[in-house]
Every structure is written in C-alpha cells, then in structure tokens.
Amino acid sequence: MRPIPRAADETAAGLRRAVRQRETPLIFRGLTESWPARQTWSPQHLRETHGQREVTALMGLPTDGVLYPKDQKNYERTLGFAEFIDAMLDEERDGPCYLAYQRAAELVDPSDCDFTSLLGSTAQQDTDTRVWIGSSGTRSMLHSDLKDNLFCQIWGTKTVTLLPWRDSRAAYPFPDNLVNSQIDVARPDVARHPLLRDVTFYSTTVGPGDIVFIPRGCWHDIRSHTPSVSVNHWFGAAQSFTEYLALLGRLGPSYWQRTAKDFIEHGLRGRREETRFFFSPPSTGKRLYDALRTGNFSEGNDPSN
C-alpha cells in the first residue's frame, strides 16, 4: 500500500495535462478552495437552504461485508432533506446513512463546482456530476467505472484506495459482475485471494478542497471517516467493449459460464436482477446482451445517459 501520487503541478493546467496523459491517478491538494461549494455545501448550510426538499437516501447501512445482506431497495427511505442531515450528524443513529449517486442539478446548484475552469472543453463531453452526502462509516466498496473521474472532497474526510485497471485480476471481480470486487480492502485475505501479494494499492485520506483524478477503469474504494459531502464528475469517452472482453477472457471458465447464464436469464428472459452491490450496474451477461442488441455494452451503466 502506497500513497496516491501527488501532482507536481497542482493547478488546473496540471490537471488537464494529467487527463490528457492518463498515465496514473493523482491527487491535487486544495485545488477547489475557490469553489462556492466549499462555503455553501456544509451540512448546516444545506439544511438551511435545501432542507424542505424530499430525498431518497440509504438508511441503516451495514458496516461490514462486501455485498448488501439485502437488496439495495430495502435500505431506501424517502424523507425530508433536513431530516436526513440530522440523521447523518447523529452519532447515535442506527448504521451509516447515505444520500448517494444524487444528480447535482436535482439537489444543489451545480455551478457551485466549476469543472469547466478545471477541464476546459473536456468538461462538457459526455459528462455527469453526482453529489454524495453521508455520515461517517459510508463505504463505496472496491469497483471500477467506465469513464475518467474527478473525485472532489468538499466537506469532511474520506480515504480513497485505488488499484490500477492492469491489475484487475487481483481485484477478484464477482463472477456475475466484472466491475465489482470481492475484496474488502480494510480486511484483505491473501490466503483466499493470493494475487493480492503481487500488486500495489494506492491509498490517501482526502480533505476539503482536494481532488483525486481517477482514470477510467481504475478500481477505487472510498470510505468516510466523518460526516461528509463530496462531488464527482465523470467525463469523456467510455472504456471500450474490447477491454471488458479481454478481462473476461483472462478470468477463465467460471466467469464465462456465469456470463452465459446471466445472458439468458436477464437478457433473453428479462428477469430482474438483485441490487446487492452499491448502485450496481447490470451483470456482465446482461451487458453483453445489451451490446449485441444495441451496440452499447454500457447502456445500463453510463451515468451520462
């Protein structure tokens, strides 16, 4: 485990250069200090200005394990935003709570985060911006996204842990889902997952004003230490169908068999899939079915759609 490399040039120009090169994840300390969100997105201010809104949040989340014990829908609760803020700040609450994967424009003023000045025209290409507001103890378990990602910490602290796409076999994806890992980075089991002995993870605690550039495909695990407000911005071209197929080919027969099963069950037969990962995309088999039907392997997993 090593620290996430810190950018030598912690400016917008340095960030744009890192995006063009896409060689490695990088952390940029304090790059968003001038954003209005740094002043207006504190929990208290959000409660005062947007507390009357109704939101659907995840409440009473588990504190261990890689999968949800129940379908994600069983944790969803609709409540007032002010009530949610009170719950996230309550140290006596029953389990972590998370208003996660929330489109920024549906809750706050997205112009409070100036991605255009950071990325230039790239910020406008096939983008999606999401807000993540939650208590201490929230966990986005190790997974891979199909687009380049800027993860920005606005309030509170989180730990970001990364594993490069080239080491995807060591992430031990679930047989039914290539982009969700069976690894709990807080409790690694090298006896069960021996490939972990030969790879390097990168992990750093981020605070208000920090940005982590996460290249597409890079596996990431994000956990909060305090009540937290974060925003992320996906942008650019998606990872290709052939890259996923190449990974599937390397993973072996048990993965091929499960993909074929899900292709039939959830593609051809249209049966509903459980959502026991964190905001799970469709299974690999269902995505392959979509690719053959529509030409888009990521039809059900592209946040900008």
Side-chain angles (χ1 to χ4, degrees), residues 52-65:
Q52 75 284 359
R53 299 195 180 193
E54 194 172 75
V55 297
T56 299
L58 302 174
M59 308 296 289
L61 290 169
T63 57
D64 57 14

Side-chain angles (χ1 to χ4, degrees), residues 135-179:
S135 67
S136 60
T138 60
R139 306 175 301 146
S140 300
M141 303 297 285
L142 192 65
H143 66 284
S144 169
D145 291 337
L146 75 162
K147 291 193 171 189
D148 288 334
N149 184 11
L150 296 186
F151 176 82
C152 312
Q153 190 63 14
I154 303 299
W155 196 87
T157 60
K158 288 184 172 180
T159 292
V160 178
T161 302
L162 307 175
L163 180 70
W165 171 257
R166 65 177 178 270
D167 295 318
S168 289
R169 288 182 64 240
Y172 289 88
F174 279 91
D176 61 338
N177 204 309
L178 289 186
V179 296

Side-chain angles (χ1 to χ4, degrees), residues 51-241:
Q52 75 284 359
R53 299 195 180 193
E54 194 172 75
V55 297
T56 299
L58 302 174
M59 308 296 289
L61 290 169
T63 57
D64 57 14
V66 177
L67 290 175
Y68 289 144
K70 300 177 288 185
D71 190 290
Q72 179 174 297
K73 291 186 179 299
N74 289 280
Y75 300 95
E76 293 178 355
R77 179 182 160 198
T78 300
L79 69 170
F81 189 33
E83 183 182 355
F84 171 79
I85 294 291
D86 291 342
M88 71 174 270
L89 297 176
D90 183 0
E91 296 182 358
E92 304 300 321
R93 68 186 173 276
D94 183 20
C97 58
Y98 214 177
L99 179 57
Y101 203 60
Q102 177 79 39
R103 288 191 187 275
E106 296 174 357
L107 182 64
V108 292
D109 184 350
S111 67
D112 287 345
C113 298
D114 189 4
F115 288 105
T116 299
S117 68
L118 291 181
L119 294 172
S121 60
T122 304
Q124 310 303 321
Q125 299 174 7
D126 300 320
T127 66
D128 190 42
T129 303
R130 302 276 178 155
V131 176
W132 310 76
I133 303 172
S135 67
S136 60
T138 60
R139 306 175 301 146
S140 300
M141 303 297 285
L142 192 65
H143 66 284
S144 169
D145 291 337
L146 75 162
K147 291 193 171 189
D148 288 334
N149 184 11
L150 296 186
F151 176 82
C152 312
Q153 190 63 14
I154 303 299
W155 196 87
T157 60
K158 288 184 172 180
T159 292
V160 178
T161 302
L162 307 175
L163 180 70
W165 171 257
R166 65 177 178 270
D167 295 318
S168 289
R169 288 182 64 240
Y172 289 88
F174 279 91
D176 61 338
N177 204 309
L178 289 186
V179 296
N180 284 281
S181 170
Q182 300 178 66
I183 304 298
D184 182 346
V185 298
R187 300 175 181 84
D189 184 344
V190 294
R192 184 180 177 190
H193 303 121
L195 294 177
L196 290 177
R197 294 189 177 98
D198 299 317
V199 296
T200 299
F201 284 83
Y202 298 86
S203 187
T204 297
T205 297
V206 296
D210 294 342
I211 286 182
V212 181
F213 168 55
I214 305 175
R216 66 188 185 193
C218 182
W219 295 81
H220 47 288
D221 176 289
I222 301 176
R223 304 178 184 226
S224 65
H225 304 292
T226 67
S228 174
V229 179
S230 313
V231 61
N232 86 289
H233 185 73
W234 284 295
F235 61 96
Q239 197 165 19
S240 71
F241 181 28

